Structure formats: structure tokens, C-alpha cells
Amino acid sequence: INIAVLVSGGGTNLQALIDHIENGYIDGKIEVVISSKEDAYALKRAKKHGIEGIYIGKNNYYSLKERNLKILEILEEKQIDLIVLAGYMSILDEKLVKRYKNRIMNIHPSLIPSFCGKGFYGKKVHQAVIDYGVKLTGATVHFVDEGTDTGPVILQKSVDVKDDDTVEDLAKRVLAIEHEILPMAVKLFAEGKLKVTGRKVRIGGF
Ligand code: GRF
């Protein structure tokens, strides 16, 4: 399958996908990496692996509408089958989300529906986890729908929250889980093993 990865930051999730494609775990090809930040290290990772990296953000497209139109154009031109949001910090408009229903995946650093939605991203998620005092957190891969972090859940994995955890400790522990479950979800999609019925995602041989 042809994959597009949308990024905004360091790209460690992108790297996990690149590694799992190169070692044969995922039967797919990353056709393009699109970043909403011009200086995202993720673009350097793409370049190093011979993957086309494109910046589409405030400096070269003024309105969000224009950005989304450009992204849609690229996705269609490259006949993308699956879009993966890997630390992507911009908005995909409703038209694009509808067009790629159940073909856009996002990785979120908590056990959805806890600690997600508007304002819950990056370190803020782990700070909220620590402030609340929960004993478990983790990561979730889900399909993207019109809401924020509200689409059908594909895979989740939990990690312990230790009493003396700092945000950095937690972020590191959760990121390691992200790097496991995101490649797994993409693999399952590539093998046609994800069946979505309404909100429910079933994994199976079919
Ligand atoms: C991390 O906070 C991760 O939890 C979330 O996006 C952020 C950046 O990830 N998915 P990456 O290193 O750019 O993949």
C-alpha cells in the first residue's frame, strides 16, 4: 500500500514506520512525508531514507483551506491508500477526512478517551496524567474522524505510571509504546486485517 505520513516534529514515529518497512514487517511504501513545520527533524529523517518530504504550512500556504487543498492534491496524485498522522499538529478539514474515511490513522499518547481532545497534546498529556494521579497510561492508535481524537480505536497498549515519574519519564515510556503499536496498526491495515463496523474495529484474518 501507498502511505503518506503527516508530521510536525521530531518524527520518531515516522522513523519507527520507516524501520518497520525496511525490515519487511510492514508491506507498504511511504510515498511522501508532509510536514506542517518547515524545520521539523522528521523531514530530515525522510530525506535520509530517500523519501520525498514536503513542507505545507503557514509560510507557503496562507490559509488552512489552501493547505488542505494542497495536501489533498498530493494524496490523490500519489494514489495514497493510508494517511498516518505521526505527531501532526495541524488540522485536516472535513472534506479530506470524509474522503479518506477509515484510511487516516493517528497515534495519541494516552489511553483514549482519557486525556485527549483539544489542548491534550505532547507533554500536556503526560502532565495531566501525573496531575490526576492515574496508575496506568499508554498510547492509542485510532482512525481519524471529524472530531479530535474521537475516531474508532484500533490498538492500545498501557504502561505503569510510577509515583516519582516526571513528564519526561512518562513521555519516554509512552513513546516507546507508540513505536510498537503504530507500526503494528499499519501492518494490519496493509494486510487488510482491520474491519471497521461503526465505532468498532475488529482485527482478524478474514
Ligand atoms: C509525541 O508527543 C507523540 O506522543 C505524539 O506526537 C509527538 C511527537 O512524536 N504522537 P514524533 O516523535 O514526532 O513522532
Side-chain angles (χ1 to χ4, degrees):
I1 59 163
N2 297 339
I3 303 165
V5 184
L6 275 51
V7 298
S8 301
T12 64
N13 278 289
L14 165 68
Q15 190 63 54
L17 292 176
I18 291 171
D19 297 345
H20 283 85
I21 286 172
E22 289 182 351
N23 72 13
Y25 179 79
I26 295 173
D27 178 14
K29 181 170 184 287
I30 298 174
E31 291 293 340
V32 64
V33 171
I34 296 174
S35 176
S36 66
K37 293 271 187 285
E38 203 158 15
D39 58 348
Y41 189 70
L43 286 173
K44 291 186 178 54
R45 295 180 189 271
K47 194 175 166 83
K48 208 158 77 178
H49 289 267
I51 300 168
E52 184 182 0
I54 303 175
Y55 164 65
I56 298 181
K58 294 192 173 69
N59 300 347
N60 57 8
Y61 286 88
Y62 305 108
S63 76
L64 187 58
K65 190 166 168 25
E66 280 167 313
R67 295 207 288 276
N68 273 275
L69 272 176
K70 184 65 188 168
I71 291 170
L72 194 53
E73 198 183 291
I74 293 168
L75 296 173
E76 287 172 352
E77 176 201 317
K78 293 183 183 298
Q79 299 180 307
I80 297 299
D81 302 300
L82 174 68
I83 301 159
V84 180
L85 309 185
Y88 187 61
M89 301 307 287
S90 186
I91 312 283
L92 293 182
D93 69 20
E94 201 167 327
K95 186 171 163 243
L96 202 156
V97 169
K98 276 202 170 46
R99 171 106 171 54
Y100 286 89
K101 185 174 171 55
N102 296 330
R103 295 195 293 148
I104 308 174
M105 283 183 187
N106 182 45
I107 173 87
H108 181 76
S110 78
L111 295 176
I112 287 176
S114 296
F115 309 109
C116 66
K118 293 223 179 322
F120 282 103
Y121 55 85
K123 301 250 179 293
K124 294 185 179 184
V125 175
H126 307 302
Q127 188 58 63
V129 163
I130 290 168
D131 294 348
Y132 196 101
V134 292
K135 304 304 179 184
L136 278 181
T137 189
T140 303
V141 185
H142 63 95
F143 281 119
V144 171
D145 65 7
E146 293 71 22
T148 304
D149 304 330
T150 51
V153 172
I154 301 168
L155 289 177
Q156 294 186 302
K157 188 167 181 183
S158 66
V159 294
D160 292 332
V161 181
K162 299 185 177 8
D163 295 347
D164 56 355
D165 266 340
T166 63
V167 167
E168 286 65 33
D169 297 330
L170 216 38
K172 200 158 171 277
R173 196 173 308 131
V174 172
L175 205 50
I177 298 295
E178 294 178 43
H179 298 162
E180 275 181 50
I181 64 174
L182 183 58
M184 192 183 295
V186 172
K187 173 186 176 61
L188 289 168
F189 184 95
E191 293 168 359
K193 292 184 176 169
L194 295 178
K195 188 171 175 60
V196 193
T197 315
R199 280 206 57 84
K200 300 292 181 60
V201 180
R202 237 167 11 104
I203 296 168
F206 308 114

